[in-house]
Amino acid sequence: MADSVLTYATRRSALALAQSRAFVGRLRDVHGSLRTEELEVVTSGDRFQDQPLAAIGGKGLFVKEIEDALLERRADFAVHSMKDMPVQMPGSLVVACVPRREDPRDVLVAPRHGTLEALPLGARVGTASLRRARSLRARRPDLVIVAIRGNVDTRLRKVEKGDCDAIVLARAGLLRLGMEGRATEVLSLGTSLPAPGQGALAIECRGDDAPTRELLARLHHAETAIAVAAERGVLVALGGDCTTPLGAYAERSGDLLRLRAFVADKAGAAFRQGERMFPWPADEADAVRMGRTLGDYLSQEMPHP
């Protein structure tokens, strides 16, 4: 491994490049002789910015072409945002590393108003996330939700130009871009529960590549991986996708796992939320089972297509 060059695959967006390069920098810190090359991949999710994700296949469109690069051995590992990862992965690929999580909360960017409560009646708030739209309307039913996609810079320009009064972004993305000062309010978990895996990365490689798996494992953060596994367990139980308003967040509380989640129907009308405390999971599989327990509870009395 010391004499070889490892190629990592990443999306071409500024945020994807920033988080990939930061991870690879940390990897070099623990493997001083490591040499890497970067493979930038334009995914279907990046190409079709003018359409809602739900209409073109969901968040998996940010992952497929990158996984193809792994399967075709054009790349040795890939850096993904965990919340973009589909529940089902190709059988020959594995998530070999989940690094320590960044702040999972959402933020409001409202240059002229500052906070959610200060937004004027009928203010226009930009987001393409049904989860965020449902959470905002629960606090402010008067808000007009405007569907906005695009990279972080694109969305920031739109709010600066006055296309909308505010936008909602993941704080983790702004932190990784060094732009956290653009946020005007950090939304509490009670106001906007994050998407499963928000703020976490998934480092994927081929399952049969033992040297790369061993190298990546040095940056694996078990507590983050277990928390994210519990959140994704909720997702599995509910069969959630980008057309389902769904939030889930797990955190350690002493020897316990605290898991909160909500789900709404696609219209955002029917709503169910829940919270559970579990003994800290023995492993990720145990965490997924706990997440599924809460997800199964939430699925009760929800309308089904």
Side-chain angles (χ1 to χ4, degrees), residues 111-239:
R112 291 170 293 280
H113 305 287
T115 67
L116 183 62
E117 294 306 317
L119 289 174
L121 190 70
R124 291 163 56 85
V125 180
T127 178
S129 162
L130 296 179
R131 171 188 63 83
R132 288 171 176 152
R134 175 61 180 81
S135 297
L136 293 173
R137 284 191 173 124
R139 296 280 174 167
R140 290 284 308 270
D142 61 291
L143 296 178
V144 176
I145 304 299
V146 181
I148 288 182
R149 282 194 60 209
N151 59 37
V152 172
D153 281 338
T154 298
R155 285 180 275 177
L156 287 170
R157 282 196 299 271
K158 287 182 178 180
V159 73
E160 288 164 358
K161 288 192 308 180
D163 291 354
C164 49
D165 298 293
I167 57 174
V168 183
L169 299 170
R171 186 165 190 254
L174 292 182
L175 287 165
R176 287 171 175 146
L177 288 167
M179 303 171 71
E180 60 268 32
R182 304 295 288 274
T184 58
E185 182 182 15
V186 178
L187 299 176
S188 70
L189 297 175
T191 296
S192 187
L193 199 65
Q198 183 161 306
L201 299 180
I203 315 302
E204 188 178 29
C205 70
R206 291 181 294 277
D208 62 1
D209 186 352
T212 298
R213 293 181 68 171
E214 182 179 353
L215 182 145
L216 295 172
R218 292 283 299 275
L219 289 183
H220 185 71
H221 189 246
E223 185 170 311
T224 295
I226 283 175
V228 167
E231 295 163 15
R232 287 172 66 82
V234 176
L235 188 65
V236 170
L238 291 167

Side-chain angles (χ1 to χ4, degrees), residues 209-291:
D209 186 352
T212 298
R213 293 181 68 171
E214 182 179 353
L215 182 145
L216 295 172
R218 292 283 299 275
L219 289 183
H220 185 71
H221 189 246
E223 185 170 311
T224 295
I226 283 175
V228 167
E231 295 163 15
R232 287 172 66 82
V234 176
L235 188 65
V236 170
L238 291 167
D241 55 28
C242 64
T243 68
T244 304
L246 185 157
Y249 180 62
E251 59 186 330
R252 187 162 196 158
S253 178
D255 293 329
L256 301 175
L257 175 84
R258 181 187 185 191
L259 178 60
R260 288 171 272 181
F262 83 84
V263 65
D265 65 1
K266 294 181 181 182
F271 176 83
R272 192 170 175 88
Q273 63 184 335
E275 177 176 333
R276 293 287 186 275
M277 300 291 284
F278 299 99
W280 185 254
D283 53 29
E284 291 172 46
D286 197 21
V288 170
R289 286 191 290 272
M290 293 174 183

Side-chain angles (χ1 to χ4, degrees), residues 59-97:
K59 288 189 174 184
L61 293 178
F62 289 123
V63 173
K64 183 183 182 302
E65 286 89 347
I66 295 176
E67 290 184 329
D68 287 344
L70 291 173
L71 293 169
E72 295 164 7
R73 298 184 180 271
R74 291 182 287 119
D76 299 293
F77 68 92
V79 182
H80 304 285
S81 292
M82 179 66 80
K83 68 178 183 177
D84 290 341
M85 295 293 285
V87 171
Q88 297 295 329
M89 294 170 51
S92 58
L93 300 180
V94 296
V95 173
C97 171

